[in-house]
Amino acid sequence: MSELYGEVQKLKERYPDWHSATLPALQLAQEKHGHLSPEALRECADALGTTPAVCKAVASFYDLLHLAPVGRHMVEVCTNVSCALVGAQQVLEAFEGELGISAGETTPDGTVTLRPIECLGGCGWATIVSVDHHYRTHVKPDDVAGIVQELRDGD
Ligand code: FES
């Protein structure tokens, strides 16, 4: 039995219905594998007592769960209405230019994954950019080079 199996059994004990443990189990599997690879999905499914297809279907719905490898840093630019109105697209394009990748891609060195994302709940502080799940507010295209440099310096 894998280490994940034991941890998922403990998760299942917390809920009257094992289905409720699916999300935390997927998060655990992602922490251990880096992303939800077919192997990670299989391990998670075995531990939950379901199929990898069920796990994949659930995982595919949530932005925080990754079915493909991601970079060491995650940059997410909100492109929903409030952010779009103050130039989110230009911010996203500035990141694309600075990183040399398109939205949805990871830099070849595996440092940064860039992606557009729906409303992050910070509409009053648009444009919101989430950097490793920490929000940057009122981000303008001119701020992008500095943010990318911070990430490169931090590695
Ligand atoms: S629209 Fe960007 S945070 Fe809500």
Side-chain angles (χ1 to χ4, degrees):
M1 289 295 152
S2 69
E3 186 185 332
L4 182 71
Y5 186 92
E7 292 180 46
V8 171
Q9 301 320 301
K10 286 184 199 151
L11 280 174
K12 286 166 72 176
E13 288 169 10
R14 291 188 198 168
Y15 304 100
D17 183 328
W18 71 265
H19 289 92
S20 302
T22 305
L23 270 180
L26 285 165
Q27 284 175 314
L28 261 182
Q30 179 168 279
E31 279 170 27
K32 292 188 183 306
H33 290 265
H35 73 284
L36 293 169
S37 62
E39 182 195 348
L41 289 169
R42 196 167 37 253
E43 249 185 59
C44 194
D46 288 348
L48 286 168
T50 186
T51 65
V54 166
C55 289
K56 187 174 182 179
V58 172
S60 67
F61 187 76
Y62 294 95
D63 278 333
L64 285 170
L65 297 172
H66 310 300
L67 292 168
V70 292
R72 290 186 296 284
H73 299 287
M74 179 66 74
V75 174
E76 296 164 307
V77 180
C78 173
T79 54
N80 220 214
V81 177
S82 298
C83 292
L85 288 172
V86 294
Q89 187 60 37
Q90 287 73 31
V91 171
L92 185 62
E93 288 168 9
F95 273 109
E96 289 178 325
E98 196 66 33
L99 293 167
I101 56 173
S102 297
E105 294 179 344
T106 299
T107 54
D109 64 359
T111 303
V112 178
T113 295
L114 172 67
R115 57 184 194 169
I117 196 161
E118 296 302 323
C119 181
L120 288 166
C123 314
W125 297 271
T127 292
I128 297 288
V129 175
S130 170
V131 179
D132 294 333
H133 309 299
H134 296 282
Y135 287 7
R136 305 293 174 100
T137 58
H138 300 295
V139 178
K140 303 284 180 223
D142 286 350
D143 301 323
V144 166
I147 293 171
V148 169
Q149 194 57 51
E150 275 177 47
L151 294 176
R152 291 187 172 133
D153 289 347
D155 273 351

